[in-house]
Amino acid sequence: MQGARAWRCRGLLLPRSAPVLAASRRGSSSQDKDRSVTVGSSVPMSAGGKGSRTNCSRSTPQKVPNRLISEKSPYLLQHAYNPVDWYPWGQEAFNKARKENKPIFLSVGYSTCHWCHMMEEESFQNEEIGRLLSEDFVSVKVDREERPDVDKAYMTFVQATSSGGGWPMSVWLTPSLQPFVGGTYFPPEDGLTRVGFRTVLMRIREQWTQNKSPLLKTSQRVTAALLARSEISMGDRQLPPSTATTSSRCFQQLDGSYDEEYGGFAEAPKFPTPVILSFLFSYWLSHRLTQDGSRAQQMALHTLKMMANGGIRDHVGQGFHRYSTDRQWHVPHFEKMLYDQAQLTVAYSQAFQISGDEFYSEVAKGILQYVARNLSHRSGGFYSAEDGDSPPERGMRPKEGAFYVWTVKEVQQLLPEPVLGATEPLTSGQLLTKHYGLTEAGNVSPGQDPKGELQGQNVLTVRYSLELTAARFGLEVEAVRTLLNSGLEKLFQAQKHRPKPHLDSKMLAAWNGLMVSGFAVTGAVLGQERLISCAVSGARFLKQHMFDVASGRLMRTCYAGSGGTVEHSNPPCWGFLEDYAFVVRGLLDLYEASQESTWLEWALRLQDTQDRIFWDSRGGGYFCSEAELGAGLPLRLKDDQDGAEPSANSVSAHNLLRLHGFTGHKDWMHKCVCLLAAFSERMRRVPVALPEMVRALSAHQQTLKQIVICGDPQAKDTKALLQCVHSIYIPNKVLILADGDPSSFLSRQLPFLRTLRRLEDQATAYVCENQACSMPITKPCELRKLLHQ
């Protein structure tokens, strides 16, 4: 829907006699799983976060906190002063519901979610609504980032019964946790085209007391249908689907939805889709000599360039905002998520490998600069997100994008210096204004700003190439580059005096694993040790603060405490499948970047734990959560969509292949085959929903290269061969350093490494496939030639 801030949805309630109430009407997208949507609104509304508003409650001393005050989650703490008898997800709430025979109201969201905070301000701070929730329901608040299993189980119900989904998610459950009504955001009061939250609560209360039996029967019927529909299993399949057919169909589906002018794969809103870009690069590599292969490369590179030039990228502070509300990548929702930064830095590094264009490497470095500055704990971990809203000035109500937008007047005042040598009178501010498309009236159209928060403001977006801007004013290209960079730096310094957006300082193992990959891959590609050191610090943080040595299990969350300390919930929240899968990927990437085998050893141990806890020995593939942790939930799912984040099963398929390449352990190859077979029907029908898994399918059937470098890890000739490998885009490979020690970890795993020798005492490379190795190579140029074949 072009020209709107977000999705437009209608809230609908069935007649009072109907057993189920449907709350939102919107189709879900296969390319994104992280959208806030509105329900019951007649105007488009933006999605995202307003966590900085939530301190208002805490600053009012006369308000009495509810039991959420004892929680660690920033999201739950934002509701700790509501006049609602909130419970965290747990047995205490369930027991109360059963004892008092009350329905459960489940509210799910996250700390930087704009419409979560709107509902909190409008409804959960309302005394009368708070009384209804406390007296007639058992009200439970869940941070979706802490408990993705709860979120996914009930989001499946909401999407199935209302044709939409998003956050805040509002679901009503029986005391046995079976859902019977679902929706997303509700306004507090009825409107001409919408039903208010107060009315919904009263109707559900009436149905529960007077018509409970049909509600329970409908709930059981819907849950049974969802169980059947969500089952993913090998069945009678012994082998995965055909790579050629599946990959081609995935490419054709992407090609059909591609935006030729602006890149991306939708009209609006547009989300970063690193999993799609990664698939396209991989598809190009295996189809380089075909028209489709060239097309795949062009689609990915063009999309990355248009995103980097657009307003979805923060040209002042770096990093990427959550999504673009328009087709042109111009006006974003301004929230910044860690997982976007992590995946995008890898995508831009791959673009640099493929194209050699330093434009892409500069973007990747900018992302990591932002993460190191804004999202990093002093002990090495990475925070979850920064809000999209903040007060324009201290003491004012937060507005969307206030920290990031500019008026022409501000820019002119900050950059008044005349530009020497221009063909007309010109200041630095006028140059920057022209290049980044700023206007006196503001460059955000009213259609992108329904609340009027961005009126007169500008989002920086590159309007012209450096060459065109230079020609316009008769300047040298390098002079323009220098002037623009200097101007952006002055804006950055001025921005420091603005009230900062709320920081979600929760640290998640999964997203930290993705960020370890981001630093490791980019550091290796660019040959920058300082970036690899950041990845090492991130991995050390995970091992020190989010790993239980005795059980071998990961913890899902930890939190920034006072004075730079790290805190945990009690009892700890144990890891989900995505935590293991993403951390294992991070460790494998870190081993290849650092050649420190300790990270590979830990990856193997975590994979063993993942297999023990999550593997489905009957149906194949991995469940997203532990059976014990999710006891009572209506669904135990296997995530089947690569969206804002890749699905953990897709990442696990790659991990299993790589681990087999590093160790030769056949069990991991067998598991990979079973996993791909279990998801074969989904890949066959809608491969575009699983581009990361389709990429794993291709890697499996093409076999991985084992690239072995024999040499002293500190020697220049060894480093030259390693850097040669890192500089080339080779997604289906494992990179191994053989240091000559027959007792080393890798030599014990792969005995054939002991047979590989250095040639004339020089660092020597071997490329091995299907248990056969190439002739020894000592020169990087020869290795490059072989790897390009």
Side-chain angles (χ1 to χ4, degrees):
M1 181 178 63
Q2 191 172 357
R5 293 292 293 155
W7 294 91
R8 184 195 302 263
C9 301
R10 304 286 185 185
L12 300 175
L13 285 175
L14 300 182
R16 292 189 180 192
S17 59
V20 178
L21 305 173
S24 70
R25 296 287 174 192
R26 168 171 90 75
S28 59
S29 165
S30 65
Q31 295 182 13
D32 181 74
K33 301 182 293 185
D34 189 18
R35 300 182 180 181
S36 298
V37 298
T38 65
V39 177
S41 173
S42 59
V43 296
M45 296 183 181
S46 59
K50 205 172 287 275
S52 50
R53 281 179 170 165
T54 59
N55 292 329
C56 301
S57 299
R58 286 174 168 267
S59 63
T60 310
Q62 68 268 25
K63 288 192 174 182
V64 178
N66 56 51
R67 60 176 57 77
L68 297 185
I69 197 69
S70 301
E71 296 299 307
K72 298 291 186 185
S73 159
Y75 176 64
L76 268 57
L77 289 171
Q78 288 167 349
H79 295 76
Y81 285 85
N82 295 159
V84 177
D85 188 19
W86 286 118
Y87 284 79
W89 180 266
Q91 201 58 49
E92 183 183 6
F94 310 152
N95 290 343
K96 178 180 172 67
R98 291 176 186 132
K99 181 180 178 181
E100 300 180 8
N101 192 26
K102 290 180 178 177
I104 294 170
F105 168 63
L106 173 65
S107 176
V108 182
Y110 57 103
S111 163
T112 56
C113 164
H114 174 81
W115 289 101
C116 300
H117 289 289
M118 288 301 296
M119 195 162 177
E120 192 257 345
E121 290 179 4
E122 296 169 343
S123 294
F124 302 147
Q125 289 186 25
N126 181 291
E127 294 286 347
E128 183 183 348
I129 289 177
R131 193 160 45 250
L132 276 170
L133 286 170
S134 301
E135 293 177 358
D136 298 313
F137 303 87
V138 176
S139 297
V140 176
K141 178 63 69 174
V142 168
D143 184 334
R144 67 172 294 259
E145 294 167 356
E146 282 190 333
R147 290 301 301 261
D149 57 333
V150 175
D151 178 59
K152 288 172 182 173
Y154 293 111
M155 187 61 74
T156 300
F157 169 81
V158 170
Q159 289 176 327
T161 57
S162 65
S163 300
W167 299 275
M169 178 170 64
S170 305
V171 189
W172 285 262
L173 319 176
T174 68
S176 59
L177 307 184
Q178 302 299 306
F180 61 90
V181 177
T184 53
Y185 163 84
F186 290 92
E189 305 296 342
D190 295 349
L192 290 175
T193 59
R194 59 189 185 180
V195 178
F197 189 54
R198 186 199 316 267
T199 300
V200 173
L201 291 174
M202 291 190 293
R203 288 189 186 178
I204 292 176
R205 178 181 64 183
E206 179 183 333
Q207 290 283 314
W208 185 260
T209 57
Q210 299 180 11
N211 207 23
K212 186 190 304 181
S213 181
L215 277 180
L216 298 179
K217 288 180 180 178
T218 300
S219 173
Q220 293 168 356
R221 188 169 65 250
V222 171
T223 301
L226 290 176
L227 274 170
R229 197 177 79 178
S230 64
E231 183 179 4
I232 294 173
S233 174
M234 289 185 294
D236 296 330
R237 304 181 198 90
Q238 299 298 316
L239 295 173
S242 159
T243 293
T245 302
T246 307
S247 294
S248 177
R249 188 171 185 190
C250 186
F251 169 75
Q252 295 299 333
Q253 289 177 340
L254 290 170
D255 191 27
S257 64
Y258 179 65
D259 184 337
E260 297 283 354
E261 188 171 0
Y262 295 103
F265 302 89
E267 285 295 310
K270 278 187 175 176
F271 287 71
T273 51
V275 289
I276 288 176
L277 301 172
S278 184
F279 166 79
L280 290 172
F281 282 147
S282 182
Y283 189 84
W284 159 77
L285 188 65
S286 56
H287 297 77
R288 276 177 293 180
L289 303 180
T290 70
Q291 187 175 351
D292 281 354
S294 299
R295 169 75 167 163
Q297 183 201 57
Q298 179 267 331
M299 288 161 64
L301 291 177
H302 181 58
T303 296
L304 285 167
K305 183 152 284 189
M306 297 304 291
M307 283 171 48
N309 284 333
I312 191 173
R313 179 185 175 201
D314 180 0
H315 295 277
V316 175
Q318 298 301 315
F320 279 77
H321 300 297
R322 183 64 198 93
Y323 65 81
S324 171
T325 63
D326 54 71
R327 179 188 167 204
Q328 295 84 359
W329 304 105
H330 177 202
V331 182
H333 167 63
F334 295 89
E335 174 186 6
K336 291 180 177 179
M337 306 300 298
L338 180 68
Y339 58 77
D340 283 327
Q341 317 308 321
Q343 294 177 89
L344 284 169
T345 190
V346 173
Y348 279 98
S349 297
Q350 292 172 338
F352 172 65
Q353 285 177 312
I354 290 167
S355 69
D357 188 343
E358 291 186 0
F359 171 86
Y360 298 107
S361 62
E362 290 301 313
V363 176
K365 286 188 285 186
I367 295 171
L368 296 182
Q369 182 184 39
Y370 161 72
V371 171
R373 183 182 65 240
N374 288 45
L375 296 180
S376 293
H377 188 274
R378 65 172 64 175
S379 298
F382 304 105
Y383 302 132
S384 294
E386 275 195 313
D387 209 319
D389 298 13
S390 59
E393 296 180 19
R394 302 196 185 282
M396 294 180 66
R397 179 182 177 85
K399 289 186 177 181
E400 184 162 12
F403 189 74
Y404 301 103
V405 294
W406 303 87
T407 64
V408 167
K409 183 178 179 181
E410 284 178 299
V411 173
Q412 300 290 16
Q413 288 176 342
L414 288 167
L415 305 173
E417 308 87 0
V419 175
L420 302 178
T423 54
E424 61 186 76
L426 182 71
T427 65
S428 295
Q430 289 169 332
L431 179 70
L432 189 142
T433 294
K434 182 71 173 179
H435 188 75
Y436 287 102
L438 280 63
T439 68
E440 293 282 354
N443 64 10
V444 180
S445 70
Q448 301 301 111
D449 183 30
K451 293 184 290 180
E453 292 185 322
L454 300 173
Q455 190 172 1
Q457 301 288 340
N458 291 274
V459 176
L460 270 64
T461 182
V462 176
R463 291 298 190 194
Y464 308 99
S465 67
L466 287 172
E467 291 76 12
L468 280 173
T469 299
R472 166 71 176 76
F473 297 108
L475 298 169
E476 295 293 328
V477 171
E478 285 307 310
V480 170
R481 190 194 309 274
T482 300
L483 286 166
L484 290 174
N485 287 340
S486 174
L488 292 173
E489 176 60 26
K490 289 180 180 178
L491 297 189
F492 176 70
Q493 294 302 325
Q495 196 180 54
K496 290 181 178 180
H497 299 288
R498 296 177 172 182
K500 291 185 177 179
H502 159 72
L503 172 71
D504 186 333
S505 59
K506 175 175 72 270
M507 289 170 275
L508 301 172
W511 296 2
N512 272 251
L514 289 175
M515 203 65 243
V516 167
S517 285
F519 274 104
V521 170
T522 305
V525 169
L526 302 183
Q528 295 197 3
E529 288 295 330
R530 63 184 180 84
L531 299 181
I532 298 173
S533 294
C534 289
V536 170
S537 296
R540 286 175 178 161
F541 180 91
L542 282 163
K543 197 163 191 179
Q544 180 179 352
H545 295 289
M546 307 188 80
F547 178 62
D548 181 65
V549 177
S551 65
R553 296 168 76 191
L554 284 171
M555 297 175 197
R556 168 71 174 174
T557 59
C558 64
Y559 309 86
S562 59
T565 59
V566 176
E567 298 179 349
H568 296 84
S569 56
N570 187 21
C573 182
W574 295 109
F576 295 89
L577 174 63
E578 65 183 41
D579 296 298
Y580 288 85
F582 294 178
V583 170
V584 168
R585 170 188 272 188
L587 295 174
L588 297 181
D589 289 337
L590 181 54
Y591 166 72
E592 293 196 349
S594 68
Q595 298 302 317
E596 295 178 17
S597 62
T598 180
W599 305 121
L600 184 56
E601 293 181 56
W602 190 30
L604 266 64
R605 183 176 180 187
L606 289 178
Q607 187 66 50
D608 283 335
T609 305
Q610 174 182 322
D611 293 346
R612 185 180 78 248
I613 296 175
F614 303 103
W615 180 252
D616 180 3
S617 57
R618 293 180 59 187
Y622 294 96
F623 290 109
C624 293
S625 59
E626 294 185 49
E628 294 79 10
L629 185 64
L633 286 175
L635 302 171
R636 189 183 183 207
L637 300 170
K638 298 175 187 174
D639 197 4
D640 63 351
Q641 179 173 304
D642 296 320
E645 305 162 61
S647 80
N649 270 288
S650 296
V651 173
S652 294
H654 285 278
N655 290 345
L656 291 166
L657 283 174
R658 295 173 74 184
L659 287 166
H660 175 262
F662 280 121
T663 66
H665 293 182
K666 293 181 179 179
D667 180 59
W668 280 328
M669 179 60 76
H670 174 69
K671 277 189 167 63
C672 179
V673 172
C674 291
L675 188 158
L676 294 172
F679 285 85
S680 61
E681 181 62 18
R682 175 74 161 161
M683 283 192 283
R684 185 189 66 78
R685 287 189 298 107
V686 204
V688 74
L690 282 168
E692 186 73 3
M693 190 172 288
V694 174
R695 198 168 70 84
L697 175 68
S698 299
H700 160 63
Q701 295 188 359
Q702 293 170 10
T703 71
L704 295 185
K705 288 183 171 73
Q706 292 169 307
I707 303 174
V708 184
I709 310 295
C710 301
D712 177 356
Q714 302 305 318
K716 286 185 178 180
D717 56 354
T718 303
K719 291 182 177 180
L721 288 175
L722 289 169
Q723 190 54 43
C724 172
V725 177
H726 288 310
S727 69
I728 304 170
Y729 177 68
I730 320 169
N732 302 337
K733 63 112 171 60
V734 293
L735 176 59
I736 298 169
L737 177 67
D739 59 6
D741 180 2
S743 65
S744 70
F745 174 75
L746 276 167
S747 292
R748 297 196 309 271
Q749 301 292 323
L750 297 170
F752 83 89
L753 295 179
R754 302 172 195 169
T755 68
L756 303 181
R757 298 283 183 264
R758 301 185 202 182
L759 194 64
E760 299 177 357
D761 205 32
Q762 299 180 70
T764 306
Y766 297 85
V767 180
C768 307
E769 289 183 84
N770 297 318
Q771 300 178 328
C773 293
S774 68
M775 297 294 290
I777 299 169
T778 58
K779 295 181 179 179
C781 60
E782 294 179 1
L783 178 58
R784 180 179 300 276
K785 183 178 179 181
L786 177 61
L787 293 174
H788 273 304
Q789 290 180 357

